[in-house]
Amino acid sequence: MLMDYLIHQKGVGMNITIIGCGHGGQALAAHLSLTQHQITLYADGAHPGFIDGISDNIINLEGKVQGEARVACLTKDIAVALRDAEVIYISLPTDAHLIQFRKMLPWLKKGQVVITLAGNFSSLYFYRELIQAGRQGEIYLADIASLPYACRTLEAGKINIIDIKRVIDIAAMPSQHTGMIINKIRGHFPTELSASENLLELGLNITSALSHPAITLMNAGRIGKGEDEFYFYKQGVSREIANVIELLDNERREIGRLLGFSLPGYLDIMDKFYAVKYPSYYDFFTRSPVHNQQKLCPASVSNRYLSQDVPYVMVPWYSLGLHLGRESPMMRSIIDLSSVLNDTCYHRDGRRLADDFFCNMSIPETEKYMLTGNA
């Protein structure tokens, strides 16, 4: 039986396209289909995710949401995927965001809304693409801070929704459009949306760079040994590792303070998501039921816990701090060690946000750009 929340959300159906057929893409496609929207689920032919294993367009949900959903259209044709879409959600790993947006751009139509889930500053880069194409003002862009669900694919077309976040932050690029986009999607999005001041504030509140890299690094000797899969949080976090995460959180909040933001702490963000209160970082990681239902242990240190969360979240934080004259030694250590483990240089290859956008801007000029899109 569907929970009451689904019934409450039913309304006038919209044409919605979801880009990406992984855990979150399937979950969102099925959930919105159950609430009477016309959903197109797209996967790139080179990265099909689970799309080829979905039979008869049916996705089954279990856990927090239960039901059998028929998705209106499954496709690997980007022109078909975007043709009738009013709102387009991108649910892909961050390293695919810009590549996919460039494929989408020739097919995007005036007035369409493109929203990146766990955007990790992606709409800033999308907006630059629109400027270069002379199309700024035609397409509306926003990042949402994370997927609305904690979820896992059990098999193609079968998803376990462990929990649904209560409130998630959203910001448009430029931020003067945030209110309009919230009004556009609030009738169907499964989580309450809270407007961030701009995309920088939203990006500084992305939690994955706090909850993943330090734990992965400090358990690197255990990861990748299939016979030693462990509960990533309750078994992987000692009090000492929790202290490292707290120091990272303090550095993040200090960078926000220099930009004029009063950022919530990690534990406050988790309370906002899941209505859980814990007295310490250690207590949260070892006791949170949402994070400890499954082992959630990465298969290797090249997993997204390092390869995505370091270059696309922590490196942008660190670069903003340097731009503001602030060294963040714990962040630097995590970036350096992650680079060594994965034989790369995340300082070089990550999103150096300040260099890419703000190196010649004062804070007031940065604020104006984020608000209006004009330097």
Side-chain angles (χ1 to χ4, degrees):
M1 184 176 69
L2 298 183
M3 61 181 189
D4 291 341
Y5 185 80
L6 287 176
I7 298 169
H8 175 71
Q9 287 290 307
K10 285 189 177 182
V12 177
M14 292 181 66
N15 289 316
I16 298 167
T17 290
I18 297 162
I19 306 291
C21 191
H23 307 291
Q26 290 181 93
L28 187 61
H31 195 175
L32 296 187
S33 295
L34 287 172
T35 55
Q36 307 306 303
H37 297 284
Q38 294 297 304
I39 305 302
T40 295
L41 180 58
Y42 164 87
D44 190 291
H47 303 281
F50 294 96
I51 199 165
D52 292 326
I54 298 173
S55 300
D56 299 323
N57 290 31
I58 297 294
I59 300 176
N60 286 283
L61 296 178
E62 61 181 57
K64 198 76 173 182
V65 183
Q66 299 176 19
E68 180 181 276
R70 183 178 293 277
V71 177
C73 176
L74 302 180
T75 184
K76 297 178 187 176
D77 185 329
I78 193 63
V80 170
L82 301 182
R83 183 170 54 210
D84 298 318
E86 300 168 70
V87 176
I88 301 151
Y89 291 103
I90 297 178
S91 180
L92 294 171
T94 310
D95 60 2
H97 287 178
L98 192 53
I99 295 167
Q100 187 62 60
F101 186 77
R102 286 170 175 160
K103 291 181 180 180
M104 293 164 57
L105 189 52
W107 306 102
L108 289 172
K109 299 174 184 177
K110 188 174 182 178
Q112 287 181 317
V113 178
V114 178
I115 299 173
T116 308
L117 303 172
N120 301 340
F121 304 99
S122 285
S123 285
L124 263 171
Y125 291 85
F126 295 171
Y127 188 71
R128 187 168 66 181
E129 295 290 313
L130 291 181
I131 291 174
Q132 292 171 353
R135 299 190 65 186
Q136 69 270 32
E138 292 185 19
I139 311 300
Y140 297 103
L141 304 172
D143 283 357
I144 289 178
S146 75
L147 287 169
Y149 315 105
C151 63
R152 283 294 179 273
T153 300
L154 304 175
E155 59 186 63
K158 186 175 182 181
I159 312 298
N160 177 27
I161 295 183
I162 300 166
D163 208 346
I164 303 176
K165 297 179 176 74
R166 296 188 308 155
V167 183
I168 303 181
D169 294 338
I170 182 174
M173 181 61 212
S175 61
Q176 62 188 6
H177 296 143
T178 301
M180 179 276 291
I181 292 174
I182 289 175
N183 288 335
K184 178 83 172 177
I185 70 173
R186 68 171 12 131
H188 68 257
F189 198 74
T191 297
E192 181 183 342
L193 295 162
S194 174
S196 294
E197 182 173 329
N198 58 40
L199 211 69
L200 293 182
E201 183 183 34
L202 179 130
L204 282 162
N205 282 328
I206 299 291
T207 59
S208 59
L210 297 171
S211 55
H212 295 156
I215 306 172
T216 301
L217 284 173
M218 295 182 187
N219 286 275
R222 303 173 68 182
I223 290 171
K225 299 179 172 67
E227 72 281 0
D228 191 34
E229 187 181 9
F230 59 97
Y231 284 92
F232 186 70
Y233 295 106
K234 68 182 178 182
Q235 293 178 325
V237 177
S238 65
R239 294 189 183 276
E240 293 78 12
I241 294 173
N243 289 341
V244 170
I245 296 170
E246 185 171 2
L247 288 173
L248 283 169
D249 200 16
N250 290 340
E251 289 181 349
R252 173 191 70 91
R253 296 179 75 189
E254 175 60 16
I255 294 166
R257 186 190 67 78
L258 294 172
L259 284 166
F261 305 130
S262 179
L263 301 180
Y266 179 86
L267 296 179
D268 294 321
I269 296 173
M270 290 298 107
D271 183 29
K272 182 178 179 179
F273 281 174
Y274 300 115
V276 292
K277 289 185 181 294
Y278 291 97
S280 72
Y281 292 72
Y282 175 76
D283 285 299
F284 170 78
F285 284 114
T286 56
R287 294 167 53 193
S288 167
V290 172
H291 293 78
N292 290 299
Q293 281 192 27
Q294 300 179 14
K295 291 187 174 181
L296 304 179
C297 181
S300 75
V301 295
S302 62
N303 178 272
R304 65 182 176 87
Y305 285 8
L306 293 187
S307 63
Q308 175 171 282
D309 296 331
V310 173
Y312 296 105
V313 187
M314 193 174 291
V315 169
W317 293 353
Y318 183 73
S319 74
L320 286 171
L322 291 182
H323 175 61
L324 299 165
R326 175 76 179 186
E327 175 62 63
S328 304
M330 188 58 69
M331 282 187 197
R332 182 176 183 89
S333 296
I334 297 292
I335 296 166
D336 289 344
L337 288 169
S338 300
S339 298
V340 171
L341 259 64
N342 284 324
D343 192 24
T344 187
C345 178
Y346 289 132
H347 289 289
R348 178 195 65 216
D349 298 336
R351 285 184 167 170
R352 297 178 295 177
L353 210 61
D355 294 340
D356 289 343
F357 294 99
F358 309 118
C359 58
N360 296 316
M361 291 187 191
S362 65
I363 289 180
E365 289 169 336
T366 299
E367 291 172 345
K368 177 187 174 186
Y369 181 69
M370 299 306 296
L371 175 64
T372 67
N374 298 313

